[in-house]
Amino acid sequence: MTSAVRSSRPMMMAGGVVLLLALGLVALMLVRPPSSAGSAAPAAAPSDTSADVGFARDMSIHHQQAVEMSFIVRDRTSDVAVRRLAYDIINTQANQRGMMLGWLEMWGRAKSSSAPPMEWMGHTVTPRGDGSLMPGMATDTELDALRAAKGKDAEVLFLKLMTAHHRAGAEMAQAAAAAAGTDEIRNLAAGMVRGQQSEIALMADMLKERGSTA
């Protein structure tokens, strides 16, 4: 799979990345029950073409951009509500991304693929270009506009971009919750649907307060 982010644009401070990935790995260890003597052998790892592996790869990329947008807007506004939402997205989605990358490692599957995005869903998508690899993902031009905006303009643009991002992410997660063969992916995807739908409703109210809609 092609890179989700242009290499010339660092996504976030290195220290923040290390901390957030560490939190993801800790969460991964917490959700895995300890092994015990006489327990059944672990199930075979899902295949490279499975919904589990495909979702983990694609959603890791999708989450990566959500974290990037949240870091951008956090520095473009002083609004407490928007900064709190951005902080929540950074922590939640970086944590989930760390878990998915950890599962890929545990399954012995590559973290990227040359296969088209979302092929695991039974169809493929054609990236709309300019850095947008999957539905809901912002283009590089839209990210540049967010970097250039300040105050209310940055808040509104972020909320619109993140609403589209969450809607597409929730649809992908719904598909994974229904098609995955592992409890890890089914449970994580179902939680993503609930969390992102809740944030979509929150962002609709926040946009309305700012005289706009998604």
Side-chain angles (χ1 to χ4, degrees), residues 106-128:
M106 182 176 65
W107 295 332
R109 305 303 178 195
K111 297 177 180 64
S112 62
S113 171
S114 60
M118 301 172 69
E119 189 174 50
W120 58 273
M121 291 178 65
H123 65 270
T124 58
V125 299
T126 301
R128 61 187 180 118

Side-chain angles (χ1 to χ4, degrees), residues 39-188:
S39 61
S47 71
D48 198 65
T49 57
S50 66
D52 307 72
V53 171
F55 173 77
R57 286 172 177 158
D58 286 349
M59 190 57 83
S60 292
I61 293 172
H62 218 264
H63 273 19
Q64 183 179 4
Q65 191 187 71
V67 172
E68 178 182 13
M69 289 194 291
S70 298
F71 268 107
I72 293 172
V73 78
R74 189 192 64 169
D75 298 330
R76 308 308 298 162
T77 179
S78 59
D79 184 85
V80 173
V82 173
R83 287 174 60 86
R84 182 185 301 116
L85 174 62
Y87 179 83
D88 288 345
I89 292 172
I90 289 167
N91 281 276
T92 298
Q93 298 210 11
N95 185 5
Q96 292 173 344
R97 183 171 183 268
M99 293 171 69
M100 290 184 288
L101 293 176
W103 285 326
L104 289 171
E105 180 73 22
M106 182 176 65
W107 295 332
R109 305 303 178 195
K111 297 177 180 64
S112 62
S113 171
S114 60
M118 301 172 69
E119 189 174 50
W120 58 273
M121 291 178 65
H123 65 270
T124 58
V125 299
T126 301
R128 61 187 180 118
D130 194 21
S132 178
L133 300 177
M134 284 174 274
M137 290 187 69
T139 64
D140 290 335
T141 299
E142 288 168 334
L143 293 178
D144 285 341
L146 182 59
R147 291 186 184 95
K150 294 182 181 179
K152 181 180 175 181
D153 289 341
E155 296 162 18
V156 170
L157 181 55
F158 169 76
L159 293 169
K160 288 183 175 182
L161 292 175
M162 193 59 75
T163 296
H165 205 275
H166 272 20
R167 284 174 177 166
E171 290 178 4
M172 195 189 308
Q174 284 176 327
T182 64
D183 289 339
E184 292 93 339
I185 292 297
R186 279 195 298 266
N187 294 338
L188 179 63

